Amino acid sequence: MRKTTMADSKINLKQFANAPGQLVRLDQSQFLPLPPPYDKLDLEPKLKPLSEEAREKYESDLDGVVTIKYPRPETEEEKQKLVEQFLAGLKKLFEKENNWTFLQPLFLTMEYCAKCQTCSKACPIYNESGRLDIYRPTYRADILRRLYKKYVKNGGKFFAKISGNDIDVTWRMIARLMELSYRCTICRRCAQTCPIGADNGLVTRELRKIFSQEMGINIDPLHKKGSVLQLKVGSSTGMAPEPFLDNIEFLEEEVEDRTGMKFKWPMDKAGADILLIHNAGEFLAWPENPEAFAIILEAAGINYTLSSDLVGYDSVNYGVWYDDVQFAKVAVKHAEVAKKLGVKKIVLGECGHAHKALTVIADRVFTGEFNIPRESSLTLINEIIKEGRLKLDPSRNDDITVTLHDPCNVVRLMGIVKPQREIIRAVCNHFREMTPHGVRNYCCGGGSGFAITQDLNFPEWREILSGRAKLRQILNVFQDIIGPEHKKYVCAPCSNCKGAMRDMFAAYGLFEKCNILYGGLVELVVNAMTDFDKPYIEWEWH
Amino acid sequence: MGGFQTIFYISILFFIVMLVLKMAKIARMPLHLRWDLYPIPHEKGKGEYGGSYFEDADWWTKPANSSMFSELKEMAKEIIFIQSLFNNNRFLWIFSFPFHFGMYCLIGFIFLLVFGAILAAAGIGISGASTSGLAVVVYHLTVIIGTIGWILAIVGALGLLICRLFWGEIHKSTVRSDYSNLLFLLAVFVAGFVSWLTVDPGYSILRGFVRNLITFKAIGTLPTAVTVQLWVTAALLFYYPFTHMTHLFGKYFTYHWIRWEDSPNVRGGKIEKAVSSSLGFRQNWSAPHIKTGGTWAEAATDEENNNG
């Protein structure tokens, strides 16, 4: 366990609000050690300090890591404006007209947290950092709670003083809080253990909402290059409908090359049973995944379609992590596309947050004919296998030892636990579970938008810290066969998780050193199909 | 009727009214977006491993398969044994469990006192030597449950106070009101325990007080220890509704209305009606990508402000 240092003990809320300069300096030697072959600190990648230029340009006074790229306020007017805007947003967060979407859960969390710190024990980032106080789940929640009690509740200024909840809002506090709201993956492991039912993951999201919905401050990968681009161009990848269709043609050819199967992928087919929506990142970064879907659905004779309509070919909905309005806009677009095609249901490809966004959260956005049934592809593929529609031989995967990563959004936040396991057991003979797994899993480290945030030194922070618990799990589950002579596969049925793993594996050299590859679930299924001569999974780093 | 008696009536009334208002405020908040968290115990056959109806193909075509028994079982484990703390924060549970269980005993003790007082008002004397079997049972139960309650609650409250004072992580986030809540409760428990120990071993004085309260008869002179106990209790009744200690009631909402709330939105159903109503709220968020002043339905379908 991390020893409390002088620097740590000084991080009280007054200093958070007022102390100039960088509040915390990350010390990797204090992080929880990893298992072999990364059991020595010098075998790990290092967090790079920000360049002088970036340090001068952007607000980085929390921990020297930057996600938001918020320019340092120069004048007193700018500082004052920051405070005023924040307080205006804070008040709106507790008004039913402005925040009917999450008012009740937020209010309950603000009122009832007993500060027992049970949540702290569940938080991977806090624990892996060696219990660095600013990463404690209740740390940011305590700040928001005090601000709420002082600035939102009736008589707050008086009662805050006598109850000990007094806190002065300063521009420094807001600038630090801005960054701090991007040091939590919203995996909600903390909420799962809370005896009272308070939700510090939600606090992170609500803080991000103040910044985004009131102040227009958010991170580019989620907003400008995320939901805004998606609504404007059609996909957060920047891929417009035309290039998407070209891409599909290319993938059709690639499937033919790899498997010998020649078929057109159903596109914009009105009256199909299913509208299948992938995370569009798959088409560009991991095309073998949508290709595997196409192969399975074609082989099983499923009446489905893809869509080339704006937003209809990209299931991502980044609003789920920072902004209710953006969330609703994208969800409505998805429903509009399905309604236009007249499908019976929408099926979501291997993308965790898209599952949660469209199937669960948007369930209370859709009304009338927009409320089209939504389902996970994990369920669909499992049904196809159970019905015996595919010719499978699990021994075709015998050269690989497989473990399963549970995407938080699919498992803890949606309760889909068994189908993916039934699929793996049907197509692999060598499967082993990580500890813990299922609804008690650890986040990949890329949750809440982290996987797509590639600016400045944030990727290194993610690789060495937010994904650290997952890395430990992966190394532990394969510890007895950790050498490169054994092929090991981390099955991650989620685009964001794969993105986080890609970067983390690359940073640690996991493929070269340990022969551990990551990939989706359907690839394993196609790899077990007896229709093809060659293995489907190409065992190489990409 | 004396001033103290009036104050005690007011404190009880205040406690009830404020608590009802607070819970009503929560209950009247608009239906939030779904934010369920697994495992959900009422998922029949799936709750134990954290599964949900989303695991079933075409789940919307199948009848809801929910088990009230599993939910009640989980609730009992959580309410009585504070299971989540036991599983995730064992050291704190060592104090939190007796603290809460002691308070449950004391709530039972209050009901027994009231029941005994009603019997007494009906002419059935409550004592260990009573000719009425019921009176003897009530007498002994009151003594046993009440005394266990005081002791457990005192031990638990002291333990929690020590944790707040000396346990780093907890201490860091503890504020004055957290200490005052515990100290307030501790004062009530200690006062009750001292009364029992010094002047009221069978709780007959306290029962007499309750009998006079419910029959609106004047209260005579009480021993100092009992008077102190009652004053502290009245003060707590005034204080309690303003504190996070009302989580005893608020927890119902966090579990049943949020964490375990997985009812799907069915066309033409109650949820759809609530959602439609909320989509009509006018929001005034100020960021450039939002159509400020429009309804939520307008904001969700707005094409003009999509440039960030």
Side-chain angles (χ1 to χ4, degrees):
Chain A
M1 189 192 298
R2 181 179 214 276
K3 287 174 194 163
T4 302
T5 62
M6 279 306 287
D8 225 13
S9 62
K10 284 178 188 166
I11 310 166
N12 59 38
L13 297 187
K14 274 194 179 143
Q15 285 182 309
F16 188 89
N18 299 305
Q22 189 176 320
L23 195 65
V24 171
R25 289 184 196 283
L26 293 178
D27 177 359
Q28 274 181 259
S29 69
Q30 300 289 322
F31 289 7
L32 291 189
L34 289 169
Y38 300 100
D39 49 344
K40 290 189 176 62
L41 191 61
D42 55 8
L43 298 171
E44 290 195 46
K46 302 288 176 293
L47 179 72
K48 290 186 196 123
L50 282 176
S51 67
E52 270 309 308
E53 191 195 352
R55 195 179 288 276
E56 270 174 33
K57 200 168 167 191
Y58 303 122
E59 184 50 53
S60 63
D61 282 352
L62 177 71
D63 53 2
V65 179
V66 168
T67 51
I68 294 189
K69 295 201 284 186
Y70 185 74
R72 284 181 187 278
E74 299 288 337
T75 65
E76 284 309 311
E77 286 75 26
E78 283 174 354
K79 291 172 185 170
Q80 187 59 28
K81 192 178 166 201
L82 193 68
V83 171
E84 283 166 9
Q85 283 184 319
F86 180 84
L87 288 178
L90 179 70
K91 283 176 186 142
K92 289 177 190 175
L93 217 50
F94 293 92
E95 292 166 356
K96 71 173 182 182
E97 291 79 6
N98 281 310
N99 199 25
W100 65 272
T101 47
F102 284 98
L103 174 62
Q104 193 177 61
L106 179 65
F107 178 84
L108 289 163
T109 295
M110 290 293 102
E111 290 288 324
Y112 290 128
C113 171
K115 301 163 196 162
C116 67
Q117 306 304 335
T118 306
C119 54
S120 302
K121 295 178 188 304
C123 174
I125 294 178
Y126 173 60
N127 286 295
E128 293 292 335
S129 72
R131 301 191 180 176
L132 191 54
D133 210 29
I134 54 163
Y135 298 151
R136 179 163 48 85
T138 46
Y139 191 90
R140 65 178 77 74
D142 273 350
I143 297 173
L144 185 68
R145 184 172 298 106
R146 287 176 189 226
L147 292 171
Y148 154 73
K149 289 194 169 170
K150 181 168 181 179
Y151 293 101
V152 178
K153 287 187 90 167
N154 289 334
K157 285 187 181 157
F158 171 72
F159 286 113
K161 266 205 164 55
I162 58 168
S163 68
N165 278 306
D166 201 12
I167 190 168
D168 284 324
V169 64
T170 64
W171 75 267
R172 278 188 203 282
M173 168 191 280
I174 293 163
R176 285 179 175 139
L177 209 48
M178 215 184 270
E179 275 297 332
L180 193 55
S181 69
Y182 287 88
R183 297 293 183 277
C184 158
T185 62
I186 320 186
C187 75
R188 293 178 72 208
R189 227 173 167 265
C190 54
Q192 196 181 39
T193 61
C194 178
I196 288 173
D199 191 336
N200 289 318
L202 176 72
V203 167
T204 296
R205 187 177 182 278
E206 296 301 288
L207 268 172
R208 291 182 185 186
K209 270 166 59 178
I210 298 180
F211 294 118
S212 182
Q213 292 179 194
E214 183 64 18
M215 304 162 81
I217 298 169
N218 30 50
I219 60 173
D220 282 352
L222 288 183
H223 189 67
K224 201 170 156 192
K225 297 177 189 164
S227 59
V228 169
L229 193 62
Q230 187 182 15
L231 290 162
K232 199 172 166 186
V233 178
S235 164
S236 58
T237 60
M239 183 166 55
E242 273 299 309
F244 166 68
L245 288 169
D246 292 344
N247 207 321
I248 293 295
E249 272 183 35
F250 173 75
L251 299 189
E252 287 169 346
E253 287 166 19
E254 202 169 73
V255 166
E256 190 183 352
D257 291 345
R258 287 174 77 156
T259 66
M261 276 178 86
K262 186 179 165 81
F263 61 95
K264 291 292 286 178
W265 294 18
M267 187 65 65
D268 301 321
K269 189 170 133 189
D273 290 341
I274 293 169
L275 166 64
L276 174 66
I277 316 182
H278 290 291
N279 177 323
E282 297 280 353
F283 297 112
L284 305 175
W286 304 282
E288 65 278 9
N289 182 273
E291 287 171 4
F293 266 101
I295 292 166
I296 292 169
L297 299 180
E298 177 71 14
I302 301 294
N303 177 18
Y304 80 103
T305 186
L306 301 172
S307 164
S308 68
D309 248 338
L310 205 71
V311 186
Y313 53 93
D314 191 357
S315 65
V316 309
N317 189 340
Y318 294 149
V320 81
W321 291 319
Y322 78 103
D323 191 300
D324 287 343
V325 175
Q326 292 299 90
F327 166 77
K329 282 182 185 178
V330 172
V332 167
K333 285 279 176 207
H334 285 139
E336 277 175 356
V337 170
K339 181 173 163 275
K340 185 176 149 194
L341 289 167
V343 295
K344 290 181 186 151
K345 62 182 175 188
I346 302 172
V347 169
L348 293 149
E350 292 183 8
C351 178
H353 89 276
H355 269 71
K356 172 77 175 171
L358 199 62
T359 314
V360 184
I361 305 180
D363 199 39
R364 292 188 183 163
V365 172
F366 298 146
T367 56
E369 52 194 1
F370 282 92
N371 192 0
I372 296 157
R374 283 97 54 206
E375 181 175 281
S376 168
S377 57
L378 301 175
T379 313
L380 176 69
I381 303 291
N382 195 28
E383 281 298 300
I384 289 172
I385 292 175
K386 282 201 281 191
E387 287 168 7
R389 295 200 196 190
L390 303 177
K391 286 179 273 177
L392 297 168
D393 175 6
S395 71
R396 290 169 69 92
N397 279 319
D398 269 0
D399 60 331
I400 311 170
T401 304
V402 177
T403 191
L404 175 68
H405 163 66
D406 285 301
C408 304
N409 283 295
V410 173
V411 178
R412 181 167 32 255
L413 309 185
M414 204 175 155
I416 299 182
V417 184
K418 263 194 179 168
Q420 57 272 47
R421 289 175 164 76
E422 289 176 358
I423 294 169
I424 291 186
R425 291 203 170 95
V427 299
C428 297
N429 290 322
H430 304 298
F431 169 53
R432 42 175 85 177
E433 291 274 20
M434 293 188 214
T435 306
H437 59 265
V439 292
R440 311 279 175 201
N441 73 321
Y442 281 114
C443 171
C444 62
S448 83
F450 287 5
I452 51 169
T453 304
Q454 303 292 9
D455 291 324
L456 300 169
N457 60 351
F458 184 78
E460 285 118 43
W461 182 88
R462 179 188 63 221
E463 285 146 15
I464 60 164
L465 187 52
S466 70
R468 196 175 186 84
K470 181 51 64 183
L471 178 61
R472 173 175 292 101
Q473 282 194 292
I474 293 170
L475 294 172
N476 278 337
V477 77
F478 292 135
Q479 198 55 221
D480 59 322
I481 50 167
I482 201 70
E485 63 280 13
H486 297 279
K487 285 184 179 176
K488 298 166 286 279
Y489 187 88
V490 180
C491 172
C494 168
S495 311
N496 269 287
C497 301
K498 283 192 296 195
M501 283 182 190
R502 176 189 55 204
D503 294 353
M504 186 168 69
F505 281 29
Y508 280 85
L510 224 57
F511 183 69
E512 295 81 6
K513 267 191 190 169
C514 307
N515 205 8
I516 305 177
L517 202 61
Y518 71 94
L521 178 59
V522 282
E523 292 91 314
L524 283 172
V525 176
V526 177
N527 211 43
M529 285 173 72
T530 56
D531 310 56
F532 316 117
D533 299 331
K534 282 193 298 183
Y536 182 75
I537 294 174
E538 291 168 359
W539 200 261
E540 59 190 31
W541 181 253
H542 50 273
Chain B
M1 204 174 289
F4 171 66
Q5 193 169 357
T6 310
I7 288 171
F8 210 86
Y9 279 125
I10 294 171
S11 71
I12 294 170
L13 194 67
F14 183 83
F15 172 80
I16 294 169
V17 169
M18 291 305 287
L19 207 57
V20 168
L21 286 177
K22 193 164 182 178
M23 294 307 119
K25 180 182 175 181
I26 297 168
R28 283 204 311 265
M29 285 176 181
L31 183 72
H32 53 86
L33 298 186
R34 264 184 77 170
W35 200 242
D36 25 341
L37 189 60
Y38 294 80
I40 294 180
H42 62 234
E43 295 276 4
K44 201 170 183 177
K46 297 172 185 285
E48 282 189 5
Y49 66 83
S52 74
Y53 58 80
F54 290 122
E55 291 187 330
D56 300 326
D58 295 335
W59 57 266
W60 55 95
T61 61
K62 294 165 187 163
N65 201 5
S66 146
S67 163
M68 182 56 83
F69 175 72
S70 300
E71 181 157 330
L72 289 173
K73 198 170 76 178
E74 202 62 22
M75 279 169 63
K77 284 196 272 185
E78 187 55 46
I79 293 169
I80 299 170
F81 298 111
I82 319 181
Q83 178 183 243
S84 46
L85 210 57
F86 180 82
N87 290 337
N88 301 301
N89 198 351
R90 191 71 55 88
F91 186 74
L92 197 64
W93 180 87
I94 292 169
F95 303 110
S96 187
F97 173 69
F99 175 72
H100 286 93
F101 195 77
M103 283 196 288
Y104 299 149
C105 288
L106 292 174
I107 291 168
F109 168 71
I110 292 167
F111 279 108
L112 283 165
L113 272 184
V114 172
F115 184 57
I118 292 168
L119 289 180
I124 303 169
I126 307 293
S127 82
S130 173
T131 51
S132 159
L134 180 64
V136 173
V137 170
V138 169
Y139 172 80
H140 286 299
L141 272 181
T142 310
V143 172
I144 293 166
I145 292 178
T147 310
I148 289 174
W150 298 127
I151 294 169
L152 285 179
I154 288 169
V155 169
L158 276 173
L160 292 178
L161 200 57
I162 290 166
C163 287
R164 290 224 172 269
L165 283 166
F166 300 110
W167 187 351
E169 283 175 352
I170 294 183
H171 177 71
K172 278 178 196 169
S173 62
T174 297
V175 294
R176 216 173 293 140
S177 58
D178 298 316
Y179 290 121
S180 62
N181 292 349
L182 272 174
L183 286 170
F184 224 132
L185 286 172
L186 193 59
V188 172
F189 303 150
V190 169
F193 182 72
V194 169
S195 282
W196 168 76
L197 197 66
T198 55
V199 293
D200 197 12
Y203 298 111
S204 55
I205 300 172
L206 215 51
R207 193 178 297 108
F209 169 77
V210 174
R211 179 185 165 177
N212 286 343
L213 270 188
I214 60 178
T215 53
F216 298 98
K217 282 186 184 159
I219 294 160
T221 310
L222 296 170
T224 309
V226 177
T227 306
V228 169
Q229 178 191 359
L230 293 171
W231 272 109
V232 182
T233 306
L236 179 71
L237 292 174
F238 281 115
Y239 177 69
Y240 177 87
F242 299 105
T243 69
H244 81 77
M245 294 188 285
T246 51
H247 69 243
L248 177 65
F249 304 93
K251 197 166 167 174
Y252 170 79
F253 296 101
T254 57
Y255 273 72
H256 296 274
W257 287 31
I258 298 164
R259 201 159 153 170
W260 295 348
E261 203 333 61
D262 63 348
S263 315
N265 177 7
V266 179
R267 282 194 200 176
K270 262 174 28 186
I271 292 177
E272 185 177 84
K273 204 172 156 192
V275 171
S276 299
S277 162
S278 295
L279 287 171
F281 285 138
R282 287 199 177 276
Q283 51 72 33
N284 63 349
W285 291 103
S286 304
H289 63 277
I290 299 175
K291 189 176 180 179
T292 309
T295 65
W296 277 87
E298 286 164 353
T301 50
D302 170 37
E303 304 271 350
E304 288 168 22
N305 297 280
N306 278 351
N307 292 322

